[in-house]
Structure formats: C-alpha cells, structure tokens
Amino acid sequence: MEQRFLDFADQLVNYCTAVQPGEVVIIHASDNTPIPMIGAVIQAVNQAGGSVATVWWDNEQINRMLMQQFTEHSERIHALGPLAQASAATVNIVFRGFDNMFELADVPAEQMTLASTGLGLHLRNQRIRHTRWILTRMWTPAMAQLAGMSLERFTDFFFQTVLLDYGKMSRAMNPLQKLMDRTKKVQLIGPGDTDLTFSLDGIGSVKCDGKRNIPDGEVYSAPVRDSANGVVHYNTVTVNKEGRRFEGVRFEVKGGKIVKATCDSGSQQELNRFLDTDEGARYFGEFAIGLNPYIREPIGETLFDEKIDGSFHLTPGTCYVGTPADNGNHSAIHWDIVAIQRPEYGGGKIIFDGKVIRQDGLFVLPELERLNPDRLRSRS
C-alpha cells in the first residue's frame, strides 16, 4: 500500500476526526476512490480501536438518474435507510470525487432543489450536528484536468495540501480567531471595484484547521445579516452545486441583501434564478479568510479554492447553524465564491475596525504574521 495512503489515513483518523476506542465510523466514498485508500482508513480506524460500520459507495451517474425521477414520496423513502445508519455513527469520513464535474448540469432545477432539501440536507445536518466528520476530494483525472495539471502533478499537489502540519496552522490561527471575535466592522477593498462593509458585532468565529475539510486553511465568521453594503466583485471561476459555471460574479448589496447580481461569463439568468432559491439565498451566511500556503491558484473546485492563500470568500446562503458564526440566515444553498487579493490578482485590503490586517494577501499585524505562507510552509 502506498505510503502516502497510509499517511493520509493516519491524518484523517488520528488528527482530523480523532477516532477513539469503541467508536463507530461511516466511510462515504465516491466510486473513483482508490480501494487501497479505503483499506488504509479501515486499518487506521481499527488500530485506533474503532470500527467501520459501513462504506457508502457513491456514483454521480446513478445519483443523476435518481434525482431526475424524485417525487416527495420517493425522496422520503430514499432517506430512511441512510438516516437510520447515520444516527448510529459517531464519526463520518467522506471522500468525494468526480469523473465529470458537470454530470448534474442537465438535472432540472426543481429536481435539484428537491434533492438538496431532502436526503442530502438530512444527512448533512446529521453529519454536521451530531458527529465528528471530515470531508475530502479525490485526486481524479477530472480534478487534474480542472486544475490544468497532469494527473501525476495534481496527485503530488493534493498530498502536499492534505499532509500539511495542521497542528502548527491551528496554533497560528488563534490570534486571528480572537481578533475576529472582537471585531465590529469589516471593510473589503479590491479586487476590481470591490468595496464592501459589514458588521461582525456579536458574531463569533471558527478556525478551520483540518477538523472538518481537508485540505483546509481558513478562519470564518458571518456578517450580521442585514449589515452588508457596497460591492463585491469576485475574480475566480465558481461552479454552483447545480454544476453551472460562472466567472466574474459581481454583487451589489444593500441592507445585507444582494440586490443586483451579474457575471462576466455564464448565464446571468441562471445566476439570479439560483439566488432566488429562497429568501435567505440573497443574504450572506459566511465570511472567511483563506490561508493554505500550498493552494495558490483557483481550479474551480470549492474545497480547494476557498482555502487559497491571500483570498477571502463571502458566501450567499445559509450560515453554519449552531456554531459561533451562526448569524441566523437560513437557505437551501451555501455558495462559497472566492476573491483573491494578492498583487497578481489586483491586490486589496481587509480592514478590521479601521485597521488594515491584510494587505495584498499578506498579514501585516505582527501577531498574524505566522499565518503568512513562508511561515506556514516552514518546518520550524
């Protein structure tokens, strides 16, 4: 078994989810997850004293066929088996991968909404609220193609990001989390014509240090729901959960609500239809600062792009309910769209209570400098 599989399994089981003796684990796996990778996780769980109850094997083409014929009744029946299994687990380890990122692009919007508010929502809530969980993507040829890399290069890149010293990153995040917790006003400037203000007053923050997603590397909070005003213009490609691709998404915001949404590439009609999913979809549920030192360029995959060094994302849709960053906004969508503020992407500032904390992608406050890429990549 490849050593990197064993190392990654050790990271997932002993750091990310900290499996304890006697605990029950469910492994979620897309059908392109290497079987030896699943075997490495089962071995690591057993060595930690836990047991794997089941492996859920997921296939996007089958999912597409199911979604296209869903009715409310069939969706309720579909949810029974997995939910019963999910309620017995204490840990979820989730591998997601795709051979075609746009496999679901022609599923009718009504069916996508039904699927997202049915089994998917119930399982997500069960996993997030009642278990320790970790989610990762697979290093598939489709992912490599999306990133513009050979499969060999992308695989090396993937393991570089997931085998980062997340304990060191976690310690370096503490001052930023404390600063966000006491910050009242945030201003985002650049790239493009971005100039947006909002309040964090009374909203807490959460550090993402490899205990939920991997690769990881962000600290997030959420705007007070009706406090955002101005313009945010994102400069990366984004693909929503329906598989629809957009570039240059731009929002004009008043009283917290997205009142005008445009894009440079992609269907503006589809963009606005997605934002009209429900009342909460035009308000923001998350604000996060990305800082993974090995993720530098967007590839069109949220799990990676939202962690880009020198980036932020401001997310239309639901907040993380029950966390310190719960701002009360609820929606069937949660759309992480990323803006990079490094000089080669147009630069920009993040300002907390009138003080610049990050300039052109680099933290400038002494207590935050350990989060800059040269420090996080260092072995010391």
Side-chain angles (χ1 to χ4, degrees), residues 250-315:
R250 181 181 183 274
F251 295 146
E252 294 181 17
V253 186
K254 293 182 180 179
K257 185 177 182 179
I258 299 167
V259 295
K260 184 177 181 180
T262 59
C263 56
D264 297 333
S265 175
S267 168
Q268 191 160 303
Q269 181 179 356
E270 288 294 329
L271 170 64
N272 280 278
R273 182 194 59 76
F274 190 63
L275 291 172
D276 289 333
T277 297
D278 50 41
E279 196 267 343
R282 285 187 177 265
Y283 290 83
F284 297 108
E286 181 188 5
F287 161 64
I289 299 174
L291 41 80
N292 188 303
Y294 292 113
I295 305 177
R296 300 279 291 174
E297 309 300 331
I299 65 172
E301 163 49 46
T302 300
L303 189 65
F304 286 80
D305 291 357
E306 66 179 359
K307 318 301 189 329
I308 290 173
D309 170 50
S311 73
F312 70 83
H313 52 279
L314 190 63
T315 303

Side-chain angles (χ1 to χ4, degrees), residues 350-365:
I350 297 178
I351 302 170
F352 284 1
D353 291 334
K355 181 181 293 187
V356 176
I357 69 150
R358 200 177 72 179
Q359 172 82 49
D360 295 337
L362 291 176
F363 292 98
V364 297
L365 298 183

Side-chain angles (χ1 to χ4, degrees), residues 14 77 106 126 161 187 194 196 360:
N14 295 305
I77 299 300
D106 62 348
Q126 174 67 26
T161 65
Q187 183 177 13
T194 294
L196 188 85
D360 295 337

Side-chain angles (χ1 to χ4, degrees), residues 115-131:
S116 68
T117 56
L119 175 63
L121 181 62
H122 291 309
L123 289 178
R124 182 177 183 271
N125 288 342
Q126 174 67 26
R127 169 167 57 86
I128 290 174
R129 298 177 186 178
H130 303 293
T131 75

